[in-house]
Amino acid sequence: MPKVLVIFGTRPEAIKLFPVIRALAVVPGLTVRTCVTAQHRGLLDQVLAIADLAPDIDLDLMEPGQTLDRLTARLLVGLGDVMDAEQPDLVIVQGDTATAMTGALAAYYRKVPVAHVEAGLRSGDIYHPWPEEVNRRIVAPIATLHFAPTDTAAEALRRETIAEDTIHVTGNTVIDALYWTADRVAADPSLAAGLDAIAARFAGKRIILVTTHRRENFGDGMAAIARAIGRIAERDDVAVLFPVHPNPNVVSVMNDILGTRANVARIEPLDYPHFVRALGMADIVLTDSGGVQEEAPALGKPVLVMRETTERPEGVAAGTARLIGTDEDRIVSEIFTLLDDTSRYSAMARAHNPFGDGHAAAKIAKVVAHAVGL
């Protein structure tokens, strides 16, 4: 039986790959093995639990404060050992992480074909997002199957001379995960009941959901974001829901600048069901995340992106997302415009979501099955 090895290590990878793993699991004659690197230990485990996934191999490579070069070296050696033991016919990686990049490279060293889920995203700036932009570019010439979420991503691959017959436009699997989880929460509200107290506390207020963790925003950018949040929360009609990323470069700045404010709920990172509920509660999403730029439009939420560039320009083109950078005054101004201008808010909330229809994983599974001879 042909064997596929699915490799991931972070919460976003797990969210975007669990629909693929589920779709592959029902392909007759296919053996599916999963390996997690635990590049993000706690956040990864949250997704594994809700998706009811037990990885076959767990490298558990997370170390506090490890450098990118040390992480990369440990990933490359560890994943190489796994491939030597497993002897897969195809390796599947996702996105732009160090796990995805080293997984592709280790497979290449063994001449094992690689499939790249969420291929073709480009910002055009190797330092924004950093190091994710280069991670994606390293995977591209190695992969033999490129699952591009949009036509724009597919065109970016063509410009890099990737063969047309290896590119498959599927939509983004994060939309599959979002819809699946939203249905589960609707059927069993207890899965996201941890937000009940906050929902009651902020009843009647316009909720701004904030997520921020990008390395390029560490330092002055993060401080400006914190100050902007404080100013936004001064409005009586507004509340800020802020699951704070555990990175010390985020936590320390928010502690120093934001402190304790009545209209700001700084909470621990949310598991995926609670995050999906938080998206549903929000009126506006303020983020520097990549995946959130795709998830929020699927629920009709305007997204203000605290970055100078984005590898997901489709949302900006469709009108559901806006690039605003990390200037404190700009963040405050853009939020207040959406809060006070009904027509501007409606235009973003009703914009077409260009990132998928919730059936990407099934399309990917079909192509993978054919690729391994089934």
Side-chain angles (χ1 to χ4, degrees):
M1 293 174 64
K3 180 190 291 187
V4 170
L5 177 65
V6 185
I7 297 171
F8 54 104
T10 66
R11 169 189 160 123
E13 288 170 291
I15 290 169
K16 294 177 181 182
L17 282 175
F18 84 71
V20 176
I21 295 167
R22 287 179 169 275
L24 291 172
V26 297
V27 175
L30 182 66
T31 297
V32 181
R33 297 278 287 174
T34 56
C35 172
V36 298
T37 64
Q39 185 179 333
H40 294 167
R41 177 80 271 171
L43 300 179
L44 169 69
D45 289 346
Q46 293 175 355
V47 181
L48 295 175
I50 184 60
D52 196 24
L53 285 179
D56 299 299
I57 304 144
D58 189 338
L59 296 180
D60 197 21
L61 292 178
M62 182 177 178
E63 287 183 351
Q66 65 185 336
T67 61
L68 287 173
D69 47 5
R70 177 171 172 79
L71 172 63
T72 298
R74 297 176 71 226
L75 285 167
L76 188 60
V77 172
L79 290 172
D81 289 344
V82 169
M83 291 179 202
D84 289 340
E86 292 290 325
Q87 296 291 304
D89 298 286
L90 179 72
V91 166
I92 296 178
V93 298
Q94 192 282 329
D96 56 15
T97 67
T99 292
M101 182 268 287
T102 54
L105 193 57
Y108 168 70
Y109 287 159
R110 289 156 180 81
K111 297 184 178 180
V112 177
V114 173
H116 189 197
V117 176
E118 198 185 63
L121 276 63
R122 298 291 185 271
S123 72
D125 184 336
I126 65 170
Y127 294 108
H128 294 88
W130 174 80
E132 290 84 1
E133 175 78 2
V134 165
N135 286 343
R136 288 185 184 277
R137 295 195 200 185
I138 290 171
V139 175
I142 293 172
T144 55
L145 291 174
H146 304 263
F147 295 117
T150 65
D151 290 329
T152 300
E155 183 56 34
L157 292 168
R158 295 185 190 104
R159 288 196 300 270
E160 296 172 6
T161 68
I162 300 298
E164 179 68 37
D165 62 354
T166 68
I167 301 171
H168 304 270
V169 179
T170 61
N172 199 306
T173 57
V174 75
I175 308 301
D176 301 35
L178 178 70
Y179 289 161
W180 182 86
T181 305
D183 287 344
R184 286 206 61 186
V185 171
D188 183 2
S190 68
L191 291 172
L195 289 175
D196 286 351
I198 290 175
R201 170 183 166 189
F202 291 157
K205 294 182 181 291
R206 308 283 296 280
I207 294 178
I208 314 298
L209 175 63
V210 178
T211 73
T212 179
H213 69 278
R214 284 288 178 189
R215 288 184 179 90
E216 60 265 32
N217 284 343
F218 290 171
D220 292 343
M222 198 62 63
I225 291 169
R227 291 192 299 268
I229 292 170
R231 289 170 59 186
I232 292 163
E234 290 174 358
R235 287 180 53 143
D236 292 335
D237 62 333
V238 168
V240 176
L241 177 55
F242 187 0
V244 181
H245 194 280
N247 191 299
N249 292 287
V250 180
V251 175
S252 61
V253 173
M254 296 306 158
N255 285 342
D256 291 344
I257 296 177
L258 274 179
T260 301
R261 296 172 184 261
N263 279 359
V264 179
R266 284 197 293 139
I267 59 177
E268 294 294 315
L270 297 171
D271 65 19
Y272 198 55
H274 283 89
F275 179 72
V276 170
R277 182 181 178 188
L279 275 177
M281 292 166 56
D283 292 276
I284 302 168
V285 178
L286 181 64
T287 188
D288 63 10
S289 168
V292 177
Q293 296 176 51
E294 299 158 340
E295 292 162 310
L299 298 182
K301 309 297 180 176
V303 188
L304 298 177
V305 184
M306 297 180 291
R307 291 163 59 177
E308 301 300 330
T309 61
T310 180
E311 68 281 22
R312 293 167 171 86
E314 298 90 342
V316 177
T320 190
R322 182 174 297 129
L323 287 172
I324 64 170
T326 58
D327 178 79
E328 176 186 346
D329 292 335
R330 175 81 186 276
I331 294 170
V332 174
S333 174
E334 293 281 357
I335 288 285
F336 285 3
T337 295
L338 288 179
L339 291 171
D340 298 331
D341 189 330
T342 303
S343 61
R344 292 279 293 275
Y345 181 90
S346 296
M348 292 189 73
R350 295 173 182 170
H352 166 68
N353 174 25
F355 295 110
D357 59 6
H359 300 287
K363 298 171 187 174
I364 290 169
K366 183 177 180 180
V367 175
V368 167
H370 183 267
V372 296
L374 295 177

